[in-house]
Amino acid sequence: MGARPLTVLVDAGPWLPVPPEGYGGIEAVLATLVPELRRLGVRVVLATVGASRLEVDEQVTPLPEPRFAAIAAPYNRVMGVAAAHVDGVLQELRRRDDVDLVHSHLEAWGLVSYADAGVPVLHTLHWDLAKHPELYGRFDGRGRVFVNGVSAAQLAGAPPALRRHSLGHVHLATPLADTAPPAAEPGDHLVVLARLTPAKGQDVAARLAHRTGRRVVLAGPVGPHHDAAALDAALASDPRAREHPDVAWFLDEVAPLLDGDRARWVGSLRGAERDRLVATAAAQLCPLRWEEPGGTGIVESLALGTPVVGYARGCLPELLDEGRTGRLVAPDDEDALAALLAGRAERGLDRAACRAAARHRFTPAVMARGYLDLYREVLARAGHPGRTPLLAVAEPSTG
């Protein structure tokens, strides 16, 4: 067989369309990565839900509609969703012989489902690797499945069995790094741009607003609900809506602190509205309770020229330049963070340096070239008899 373009099946999972409408972490990453891979000559087959509208070479849709609303349901109600998606992808792989590599982004299932699919696999880890200890602690990819992280800090905490399969990390990227930020003067408000969940610490952010007199805006969904109207409607119509862990936490811990002034929730924002909220913020606030693995919101904030303040957890220290693009305090030291905010310490940070860091480190091109390097490594290690994929880009990554 002669040389031909590399064909990669990118598995986005069954939860949200690509690109997502509003919130969508992994799906937003893929909406950034895939166009750049195609620009570099990779042929992309996207496994996703039927609602996806990203331009690709082919689309595989085991399930027609997104299933994000069910993602936090009890296991016995939701376990078949990922299984049905993976089964559909495996059927597709069995009927064709042109896929050179599977690039999986589906938590847990993607790591084990494609090991015997007949093609090499790169599985990107987007989440906390303290999860799934029974899986990660004994995983064996049998020379066909390899993993990568989205930060060095994330991989440093991986169990040894998983780390042995790692080919390194590729930082997340944002198209905002290639564009000029909105023409707007920074204001005095702080923003938390993330799904509202205990790990992101929005209850801490709201409490800090009242402690310091600062205005804090929370932007993101609560469970599957993208704004207050949707949440109120769900609570009024379905008694089980409160059972969602993020909804229960929000109602108990965050909602009582919201006053519409010092602390307010604006729901999921999109496009220019979201970008303007971040670009005009004095800083993005990140009082994280978990070891943030990738930090999509962080790189978006930097691209918009907005510095970051928060706890030194997970990937934040490696994404930020302390004293120039961010200020971090010890994890869970709420008093230190309150003192930082009350003193307007973020005014000493450099908004131009934030944008420069994004242009240098977090563009789609940098991320795509990083993945091309990993694809080459997977193919070299796993071998692919009878196939000679041709990559359109031969030079090494510059990222």
Side-chain angles (χ1 to χ4, degrees):
M1 183 181 294
R4 57 175 177 75
L6 179 71
T7 298
V8 177
L9 187 146
V10 176
D11 184 7
W15 307 117
L16 288 168
V18 184
E21 298 177 359
Y23 171 80
I26 293 171
E27 295 80 9
V29 171
L30 295 181
T32 299
L33 173 63
V34 167
E36 192 66 20
L37 288 175
R38 296 182 73 230
R39 191 185 73 79
L40 295 174
V42 177
R43 188 169 179 273
V44 174
V45 179
L46 182 65
T48 181
V49 293
S52 291
R53 295 294 178 265
L54 185 70
E55 186 174 342
V56 293
D57 296 284
E58 291 185 59
Q59 183 169 300
V60 178
T61 55
L63 299 176
E65 298 298 329
R67 297 300 185 89
F68 183 73
I71 198 169
Y75 179 70
N76 63 353
R77 297 215 311 255
V78 74
M79 62 181 175
V81 174
H85 173 85
V86 166
D87 183 60
V89 176
L90 287 171
Q91 289 183 40
E92 180 72 13
L93 288 170
R94 283 193 290 268
R95 78 170 185 81
R96 60 195 300 166
D97 64 358
D98 63 327
V99 173
D100 297 294
L101 182 144
V102 170
H103 187 182
S104 167
H105 300 263
L106 180 58
E107 185 172 356
W109 279 88
L111 186 64
V112 298
S113 299
Y114 304 123
D116 296 313
V119 294
V121 178
L122 177 67
H123 179 71
T124 296
L125 303 158
H126 290 272
W127 36 82
D128 177 4
L129 300 185
K131 298 167 69 176
H132 317 309
E134 296 86 357
L135 172 62
Y136 293 156
R138 54 177 291 181
F139 177 69
D140 180 4
R142 302 189 292 283
R144 294 188 293 276
V145 181
F146 303 89
V147 305
N148 76 277
V150 289
S151 69
Q154 178 200 32
L155 289 175
L162 189 64
R163 200 159 53 241
R164 284 195 293 271
H165 293 79
S166 171
L167 302 181
H169 70 276
V170 177
H171 284 138
L172 302 179
T174 174
L176 296 171
D178 287 329
T179 62
E185 289 297 317
D188 192 49
H189 68 276
L190 305 164
V191 64
V192 183
L193 184 68
R195 178 168 60 96
L196 275 74
T197 189
K200 301 292 186 177
Q202 283 94 345
D203 56 328
V204 178
R207 191 162 57 245
L208 286 168
H210 294 289
R211 284 187 63 178
T212 64
R214 302 295 298 270
R215 292 171 51 241
V216 173
V217 181
L218 311 178
V222 174
H225 313 297
H226 288 281
D227 54 38
L231 176 59
D232 290 344
L235 292 171
S237 63
D238 184 0
R240 295 181 302 177
R242 181 180 273 272
E243 297 175 6
H244 190 292
D246 288 347
V247 172
W249 167 80
F250 173 80
L251 295 174
D252 292 340
E253 304 295 335
V254 181
L257 297 170
L258 301 179
D259 63 359
D261 179 24
R262 291 296 179 198
R264 60 192 178 103
W265 173 47
V266 296
S268 295
L269 302 182
R270 304 177 187 177
E273 187 179 17
R274 179 204 60 183
D275 296 349
R276 184 174 180 82
L277 174 68
V278 177
T280 58
Q284 176 153 191
L285 180 57
C286 296
L288 301 171
R289 285 195 178 92
W290 76 322
E291 301 303 315
E292 177 73 46
T296 303
I298 305 304
V299 301
E300 290 175 344
S301 188
L302 295 176
L304 291 165
T306 302
V308 177
V309 296
Y311 294 149
R313 272 213 162 100
C315 66
L316 267 66
E318 70 187 81
L319 299 183
L320 300 173
D321 182 358
E322 176 67 30
R324 293 193 74 220
T325 64
R327 291 289 304 275
L328 301 174
V329 301
D332 301 321
D333 191 342
E334 188 172 322
D335 290 341
L337 192 52
L340 187 70
L341 298 177
R344 282 9 185 220
E346 76 278 358
R347 290 177 178 170
L349 300 174
D350 188 339
R351 300 179 80 91
C354 293
R355 291 190 290 270
R359 287 194 299 270
H360 177 66
R361 301 177 61 195
F362 305 125
T363 64
V366 169
M367 180 169 64
R369 289 175 183 273
Y371 278 109
L372 281 176
D373 287 345
L374 295 188
Y375 294 167
R376 294 188 185 102
E377 184 69 15
V378 170
L379 292 169
R381 292 195 185 197
H384 213 333
R387 302 195 182 187
T388 312
L390 171 67
L391 289 177
V393 176
E395 69 269 21
S397 169
T398 59

